[in-house]
Amino acid sequence: MSWQPQYRSSKYRHVFGKPANKENCYDNVPITRSVHDNHFCAVNPSFIAVVTECAGGGAFIVIPIQQSGKLDPHYPKICGHRGNVLDIKWNPFDDYVIASCSEDASVKIWDIPKPYVTKSITNARKELVGHSRRVGLIEWHPTASNIIFSTAYDYKIMIWNIDNEEPIIYSPVRTIECHKDVILSMSFNLDGSLMATSCKDRKVRVIDPLKGCIIQESDGKTHKASKVLFLGNMKKLVSTGTSRWNNRQVVLWDQDDLSVPLHQEDLDGSSGLLFPFFDNDTDMLYLVGKGEGNIRYYEVNLQKSYLQYLNEYRSCLPQKGIGVLPKRGVDVSSCEVFRFYKLVTIKGLIEPVSMIVPRRSESYQEDIYPMTAGTRPALTAHEWLSGINRGPLLVSLKPGLKSSQFHIANSNEEDELLSKEPKKLCEEKPPTKTLWEIEYKTEIIREDRGRRRFTEKSQETRNSLISNGLDLFECPAPKTENELLQMFYKQQEEIRRLRDQLSQRDIQIRQLELEIKNVRNSSVY
């Protein structure tokens, strides 16, 4: 057995939670007092939506994310449900579209006006009517546009296609009826080909959403699951719940085998529900407790030990619900990797909490900000319903960089997709440059890089008396320790600048190669 060190190096080992100051919080918000186990808050880079108290039906409010401070007591609401609103979710591909579900057994799709106008909205764009009992959960498909899932207390999961002109839709495109009790949570893998659910019968299930059949199922004897979550592209699941002795517990599963968990960890004896959140870009898992102010966070590994505890954010303000900002909205200048929005009912407060990686440099940290999911869908609703699965389109978070979008797929998968439906893929983004211009620009960049590398090599071999980038005849050697440190720091800054230039060139080359591929496909078809 090989020796494993007790501590391991990690760039996220010193991540800390930083609450926003009072000026950046949202005060006097009428947060709902419902006891339903949901987040009650949905966030995107433009708006914050919060379920509120309302007489004569259910309602929620939409606040521009820059409009912090004290809220007007008569702030307009979005109200159209006949019962309490239980869940709200923003469309991942349109910041001005939000879905809500209610105790009146309906799901409604709302359009936020562009530009935003503070007014009450009572007429929904679409109403989805199919459930016989109250609808408790809704989820958008992660990569296909206009596909939404809903689950209700009739033990059914319904799949809706809202890509039509009908204001009221009575029949879903698919209905999954494999559960025998109330469904507590839903989660999708990265491309939306698999769905995981936790049920009141204590079991975790992995389901094929298109076929409606169960692929894997846990026995539920040692772990009573409340919430379940896919861990990105790791092919693993995490569930939170309670153990046999009613201790709060987090369990890690292999998505291909739910018979035995990979890892179990008892946390404490508290009774509050644990909401799991996963950041696929940093492989960090966050556990947020309902009714408490603490946020635990771990780093997930592919090998044992699977969960590496990092730290815990502590606060005396208990959260009723929680909202999470998509990665494309974080502040990269302050090295923010995640942001929560806590709903504090006792104060009517929404408090942002930023998770920050401490770095000394103020430049863009490319190692903690890989390409992340963008706002363009990878599939249409018709393509997904016909059996096609595709990973999300990625964008770079680097400021001032042209947002290029790429597929999470290898070259074989891309060629296969192009051969299946080349016309549709090429029509998504019409070329703006001619093929000759793109190839000419790419060739210039490559020649420039080759010329730079040649001059660097010739500079290295030109004079053997150059040491550590300094000519001993032109620049005298440092005499004191302070001079040596100054020269070292100058060299480090120069190396960092050259690395930034090299990464910028690589990104430009990838952009131009992608445009060449699109131009060639459009010229063929």
Side-chain angles (χ1 to χ4, degrees):
M1 183 177 177
S2 61
W3 177 80
Q4 295 289 339
Q6 186 176 2
Y7 300 103
R8 63 182 190 86
S9 61
S10 171
K11 66 182 76 173
Y12 307 111
R13 187 173 177 179
H14 301 289
V15 171
F16 66 94
K18 181 181 179 182
N21 52 30
K22 190 174 181 180
E23 291 77 14
N24 294 325
C25 293
Y26 307 83
D27 200 4
N28 198 29
V29 181
I31 302 170
T32 181
R33 299 188 181 275
S34 172
V35 295
H36 198 71
D37 290 332
N38 269 347
H39 299 158
F40 298 121
C41 180
V43 188
N44 66 25
S46 302
F47 300 104
I48 304 172
V50 182
V51 181
T52 64
E53 289 292 317
C54 181
F60 60 95
I61 59 174
V62 172
I63 309 171
I65 203 165
Q66 303 297 334
Q67 186 181 322
S68 57
K70 193 170 184 179
L71 203 67
D72 187 355
H74 303 289
Y75 193 84
K77 297 180 175 64
I78 298 179
C79 47
H81 286 285
R82 297 181 299 276
N84 292 331
V85 175
L86 299 181
D87 197 13
I88 50 177
K89 292 286 167 55
W90 288 104
N91 188 334
F93 311 116
D94 191 343
D95 289 346
Y96 287 81
V97 176
I98 189 171
S100 63
C101 64
S102 169
E103 290 181 348
D104 60 8
S106 69
V107 178
K108 296 191 180 217
I109 311 297
W110 307 85
D111 285 334
I112 307 301
K114 296 182 184 180
Y116 179 72
V117 179
T118 306
K119 65 176 183 179
S120 295
I121 301 175
T122 57
N123 296 322
R125 172 162 65 94
K126 286 188 183 298
E127 184 175 0
L128 314 179
V129 182
H131 289 285
S132 59
R133 299 183 64 183
R134 59 178 177 172
V135 184
L137 287 171
I138 49 176
E139 287 288 346
W140 294 90
H141 193 278
T143 59
S145 62
N146 296 316
I147 294 291
I148 189 169
F149 291 68
S150 64
T151 178
Y153 280 65
D154 55 7
Y155 313 155
K156 296 178 182 178
I157 298 176
M158 293 187 177
I159 306 174
W160 306 86
N161 178 13
I162 62 173
D163 190 12
N164 53 53
E165 300 298 330
E166 299 177 6
I168 302 178
I169 303 176
Y170 292 97
S171 57
V173 292
R174 298 277 193 283
T175 301
I176 302 174
E177 302 183 32
C178 58
H179 296 84
K180 299 178 181 179
D181 212 328
V182 178
I183 300 164
L184 301 178
S185 67
M186 293 187 295
S187 178
F188 293 93
N189 64 347
L190 210 57
D191 60 359
S193 60
L194 295 175
M195 178 175 63
T197 62
S198 61
C199 188
K200 207 170 182 180
D201 61 3
R202 304 186 176 188
K203 295 182 179 180
V204 175
R205 295 174 176 87
V206 176
I207 302 170
D208 186 335
L210 281 174
K211 297 178 181 178
C213 60
I214 298 176
I215 300 175
Q216 288 290 327
E217 185 177 13
S218 66
D219 57 10
K221 293 181 179 179
T222 59
H223 173 69
K224 181 181 178 181
S226 298
K227 300 293 180 182
V228 66
L229 187 68
F230 263 104
L231 298 182
N233 54 2
M234 289 187 168
K235 294 186 177 182
K236 288 180 175 58
L237 299 168
V238 66
S239 65
T240 59
T242 56
S243 64
R244 290 180 179 178
W245 300 275
N246 286 331
N247 291 326
R248 289 201 298 186
Q249 192 178 52
V250 56
V251 177
L252 198 67
W253 308 85
D254 183 355
Q255 72 175 27
D256 299 323
D257 183 13
L258 297 184
S259 59
V260 179
L262 295 175
H263 177 77
Q264 287 184 342
E265 183 174 332
D266 288 356
L267 301 179
D268 51 38
S270 178
S271 60
L273 187 69
L274 285 173
F275 294 113
F277 297 95
F278 183 69
D279 184 2
N280 188 52
D281 299 333
T282 60
D283 294 337
M284 288 180 63
L285 173 67
Y286 300 88
L287 300 181
V288 182
K290 183 178 180 180
E292 61 184 64
N294 301 343
I295 301 175
R296 298 176 176 88
Y297 41 99
Y298 303 78
E299 190 170 6
V300 184
N301 308 314
L302 291 173
Q303 299 175 351
K304 292 183 179 180
S305 61
Y306 295 104
L307 288 181
Q308 183 74 27
Y309 176 77
L310 295 176
N311 209 335
E312 182 177 4
Y313 167 78
R314 294 173 179 260
S315 171
C316 60
L317 298 176
Q319 55 252 7
K320 167 80 173 181
I322 199 84
V324 173
L325 182 70
K327 197 60 174 286
R328 53 190 173 88
V330 299
D331 183 11
V332 297
S333 62
S334 62
C335 296
E336 181 186 36
V337 292
F338 217 69
R339 189 189 302 173
F340 294 98
Y341 285 81
K342 294 174 51 175
L343 304 185
V344 184
T345 309
I346 58 176
K347 290 191 173 183
L349 183 71
I350 304 177
E351 182 188 33
V353 177
S354 300
M355 310 306 294
I356 295 175
V357 180
R359 294 285 175 93
R360 289 186 178 180
S361 176
E362 297 180 357
S363 61
Y364 178 72
Q365 305 295 311
E366 202 157 354
D367 59 327
I368 63 175
Y369 294 115
M371 304 280 285
T372 190
T375 56
R376 280 186 57 196
L379 291 166
T380 63
H382 176 72
E383 288 174 335
W384 183 76
L385 291 172
S386 63
I388 301 175
N389 291 304
R390 204 173 295 162
L393 296 175
L394 304 182
V395 296
S396 174
L397 297 179
K398 191 167 187 178
L401 186 66
K402 181 182 176 182
S403 59
S404 304
Q405 302 188 340
F406 303 88
H407 256 292
I408 298 182
N410 54 35
S411 59
N412 296 331
E413 290 176 348
E414 289 181 356
D415 295 339
E416 183 181 352
L417 294 173
L418 287 172
S419 62
K420 284 184 178 179
E421 290 190 337
K423 293 185 179 179
K424 290 186 178 179
L425 289 176
C426 296
E427 288 173 359
E428 288 181 358
K429 185 179 179 182
T432 58
K433 300 179 181 179
T434 63
L435 181 62
W436 181 85
E437 291 175 341
I438 296 173
E439 290 182 341
Y440 179 70
K441 192 172 181 180
T442 307
E443 193 64 30
I444 289 177
I445 292 176
R446 285 177 174 167
E447 289 180 358
D448 189 24
R449 287 187 64 187
R451 195 180 303 111
R452 286 179 181 233
R453 289 175 180 172
F454 177 76
T455 54
E456 288 175 1
K457 289 182 179 179
S458 61
Q459 184 70 18
E460 290 176 0
T461 58
R462 180 178 57 87
N463 194 348
S464 60
L465 293 176
I466 293 180
S467 175
N468 291 330
L470 298 174
D471 195 331
L472 298 179
F473 291 103
E474 296 179 359
C475 183
K479 297 180 180 180
T480 63
E481 184 178 355
N482 189 22
E483 291 180 358
L484 182 63
L485 284 174
Q486 288 180 357
M487 298 180 72
F488 173 74
Y489 290 143
K490 287 180 181 179
Q491 286 185 349
Q492 293 296 317
E493 287 294 330
E494 181 68 16
I495 291 172
R496 190 178 296 110
R497 186 182 64 82
L498 292 174
R499 283 178 178 171
D500 290 341
Q501 290 181 358
L502 187 61
S503 63
Q504 182 74 13
R505 293 284 183 175
D506 292 335
I507 293 173
Q508 290 179 359
I509 288 175
R510 288 205 302 268
Q511 291 177 0
L512 294 172
E513 287 175 348
L514 186 62
E515 291 181 1
I516 289 173
K517 191 173 183 179
N518 291 336
V519 170
R520 284 175 176 169
N521 292 331
S522 61
S523 62
V524 172
Y525 299 99

